[in-house]
Amino acid sequence: MWKLVFVQVYPNNVNEQNLSYKETPLIGICVSDTKPEFRSVAVKRLQSFPHNTTIVIFRIQNLNIAQLTVIGDILEKKAGKISKKKGTLPLPDVIYIQCLIDPILVNKIEKQIGRMIFNNFIFDKWQGWELLAGDCILRDHLPNTWKIEREEDLLQPLNSYKDIFLKPIDPIYGHSGRGIFRVKLQNEGRLEVFYWKEGEMRKEKFKSFTIFWSMFSRGLLAEKYIVQQSIQTVNVDKKVTDIRLHMNKNSLGKWEVSTLLCRVATNDSHISHELHKIARIKLLENLLDSQIANHDDWERAIVNLGFQICNVFDRLGYHMADLGMDFGVDQNGHLWIFEVNPLPYPYQLPNQQNAFCKPIEYALYLALKSGFDN
Ligand SMILES: Nc1ncnc2c1ncn2[C@@H]1O[C@H](COP(=O)(O)OP(=O)(O)O)[C@@H](O)[C@H]1O
Ligand SMILES: [Mg+2]
């Protein structure tokens, strides 16, 4: 048993007046200033978790590997009430990563606390694609994808598919359709380009690839990009759809579905910040049953694909327990994987608390399994 030392001023000026004793495992949630929204999400996680527990929300700069301490916001939940203090604590029993982190540092922390860091691999879109493409079942569900380094890297897929997506690789920069361009090749080399700007989906026409490239290449090459074959997903009200599947490990250490939703875009290109509609997966099932001859158990097929993805991470030795997956179904009923997100933002909808509190359940499972003993 160790004592929590709450401090008013930090880092070295420890005030030991307020002492409390550890009753539950300490869960650390590592956040950063580049994704500040995960700080408030961490608080919501504790609010939606029904039992007493203590979390420390900290930035990686405030973890001192030499002294085995961490400085952060300590939130203690007791009898439904949450108290908050800033303080210095010993390293948490379990750490949940909610920011970009250097894998070398993850390794160093694992040497101290064991394999108790989860979502320990915050990958970019290219790393994610390469990793999943190594699995022969998943490969069939992945749109062909390349990294863009030069003009030719874009020209070739554009000429063969006539319709491509350009996506920023960086998981911090790119999300909710930010920085994405859908480029369609028209007659006589003209292009139609769709991108989200100032609250709407823009459609811009270019007379040639050269004109498009001269306008966009600086931005495309400054941010690293991938190019991907476009998939025409089934439409609702002439608007494209996709699927959000959020999976988490639970209090038994097993993957389970937290959220499964169908999203309808505001437009006929792709999903971005705003949605026309968010619906139960039944909406998509009804649509598929009416449009596609081969009736199937769609929900089961989607969830099975999710399990297959989670199992690949487990098999390769990554310690993941919180994954957001964006899928789509094309006009032939084939399921496609657009993205797997290691920093998924939970949907704040009624009856969708699981995506918030499962990571805490899993953290407690890990701590107790490893022999936490107060
Ligand atoms: N290859 C594709 N074909 C068709 N639609 C796509 C494709 N890739 C992405 N999309 C659409 O664009 C959305 C945003 O792309 P995604 O890869 O998830 O990036 P972000 O990080 O911005 O969420 C997806 O949810 C999907 O609706
Ligand atoms: Mg996405």
Side-chain angles (χ1 to χ4, degrees):
M1 184 156 60
W2 47 260
K3 62 188 176 186
L4 292 175
V5 183
F6 294 127
V7 295
Q8 317 297 330
V9 199
Y10 59 99
N12 294 323
N13 190 3
V14 177
N15 172 351
E16 296 204 25
Q17 280 166 359
N18 299 317
L19 299 184
S20 157
Y21 284 89
K22 187 177 178 184
E23 288 163 2
T24 59
L26 179 65
I27 301 167
I29 302 187
C30 185
V31 296
S32 71
D33 294 339
T34 44
K35 286 263 186 190
E37 61 274 25
F38 281 111
R39 191 174 274 278
S40 49
V41 171
V43 178
K44 289 200 186 97
R45 293 188 193 285
L46 187 61
Q47 285 165 346
S48 61
F49 186 69
H51 307 292
N52 292 347
T53 198
T54 306
I55 65 171
V56 53
I57 306 171
F58 66 96
R59 295 186 308 153
I60 198 66
Q61 304 90 297
N62 291 333
L63 184 145
N64 188 326
I65 199 84
Q67 290 180 8
L68 305 180
T69 57
V70 69
I71 298 168
D73 291 336
I74 303 155
L75 279 74
E76 199 173 7
K77 186 166 189 175
K78 261 191 186 159
K81 288 213 168 107
I82 296 176
S83 62
K84 183 177 160 187
K85 296 173 184 178
K86 285 192 191 302
T88 303
L89 297 172
L91 287 186
D93 298 286
V94 182
I95 296 177
Y96 170 33
I97 303 294
Q98 290 275 267
C99 60
L100 260 191
I101 186 165
D102 181 354
I104 296 172
L105 190 51
V106 170
N107 252 303
K108 283 188 184 161
I109 308 169
E110 277 175 345
K111 285 210 173 97
Q112 298 302 330
I113 67 171
R115 279 191 59 82
M116 305 295 272
I117 307 179
F118 67 93
N119 276 35
N120 67 353
F121 180 39
I122 306 298
F123 48 90
D124 65 34
K125 282 191 168 63
W126 177 242
Q127 288 173 315
W129 188 90
E130 280 199 304
L131 188 143
L132 300 180
D135 180 88
C136 58
I137 295 176
L138 296 181
R139 183 65 191 85
D140 197 35
H141 296 277
L142 287 163
N144 280 331
T145 303
W146 300 264
K147 218 170 166 176
I148 307 177
E149 263 140 28
R150 299 170 307 255
E151 194 173 335
E152 301 82 82
D153 300 335
L154 198 56
L155 262 177
Q156 225 172 15
L158 182 62
N159 285 326
S160 30
Y161 292 104
K162 320 282 184 228
D163 187 353
I164 53 170
F165 266 78
L166 307 180
K167 301 186 190 178
I169 287 178
D170 187 337
I172 297 298
Y173 173 75
H175 58 88
S176 318
R178 190 172 162 205
I180 287 186
F181 299 96
R182 180 171 182 170
V183 183
K184 291 187 182 179
L185 184 60
Q186 313 273 286
N187 289 339
E188 292 153 18
R190 283 176 287 113
L191 300 182
E192 218 172 55
V193 179
F194 299 80
Y195 60 98
W196 187 263
K197 195 173 176 189
E198 290 159 4
E200 60 172 350
M201 187 59 73
R202 303 269 173 105
K203 177 158 96 174
E204 208 169 326
K205 291 183 191 273
F206 292 87
K207 280 196 175 140
S208 69
F209 179 82
T210 319
I211 300 174
F212 167 74
W213 183 252
S214 66
M215 287 187 70
F216 285 90
S217 57
R218 215 176 307 149
L220 291 183
L221 295 175
E223 277 301 325
K224 286 190 184 139
Y225 265 74
I226 50 169
V227 54
Q228 186 164 82
Q229 155 195 14
S230 288
I231 305 300
Q232 198 55 46
T233 56
V234 283
N235 280 205
V236 169
D237 306 333
K238 297 197 175 134
K239 296 168 170 73
V240 293
T241 59
D242 79 357
I243 296 160
R244 166 44 70 107
L245 174 65
H246 194 142
M247 294 188 66
N248 289 94
K249 281 190 182 156
N250 60 20
S251 57
L252 299 171
K254 303 266 185 257
W255 286 105
E256 67 172 41
V257 174
S258 296
T259 305
L260 176 56
L261 296 166
C262 166
R263 300 184 293 198
V264 183
T266 55
N267 59 82
D268 60 355
S269 176
H270 58 279
I271 300 284
S272 203
H273 269 80
E274 279 173 27
L275 296 173
H276 171 63
K277 196 175 350 192
I278 193 154
R280 288 174 199 276
I281 207 70
K282 197 87 199 129
L283 172 85
L284 201 65
E285 286 184 325
N286 292 342
L287 197 77
L288 291 164
D289 284 346
S290 66
Q291 288 183 8
I292 297 167
N294 67 327
H295 291 237
D296 216 330
D297 186 341
W298 294 105
E299 182 165 338
R300 184 182 300 176
I302 295 163
V303 170
N304 281 349
L305 189 60
F307 275 112
Q308 181 73 19
I309 291 171
C310 296
N311 292 339
V312 165
F313 283 96
D314 289 349
R315 216 169 49 228
L316 293 175
Y318 298 107
H319 190 174
M320 307 304 280
D322 181 26
L323 290 173
M325 297 166 244
D326 295 334
F327 299 158
V329 187
D330 71 17
Q331 327 273 338
N332 301 315
H334 189 73
L335 267 174
W336 294 92
I337 304 163
F338 296 141
E339 176 189 35
V340 176
N341 195 334
L343 288 171
Y345 196 87
Y347 272 93
Q348 297 190 47
L349 296 167
N351 308 322
Q352 297 294 328
Q353 292 305 309
N354 279 353
F356 281 95
C357 63
K358 287 288 160 189
I360 296 192
E361 273 185 23
Y362 179 65
L364 289 173
Y365 156 82
L366 275 181
L368 296 172
K369 190 175 77 134
S370 79
F372 170 85
D373 176 13
N374 63 11

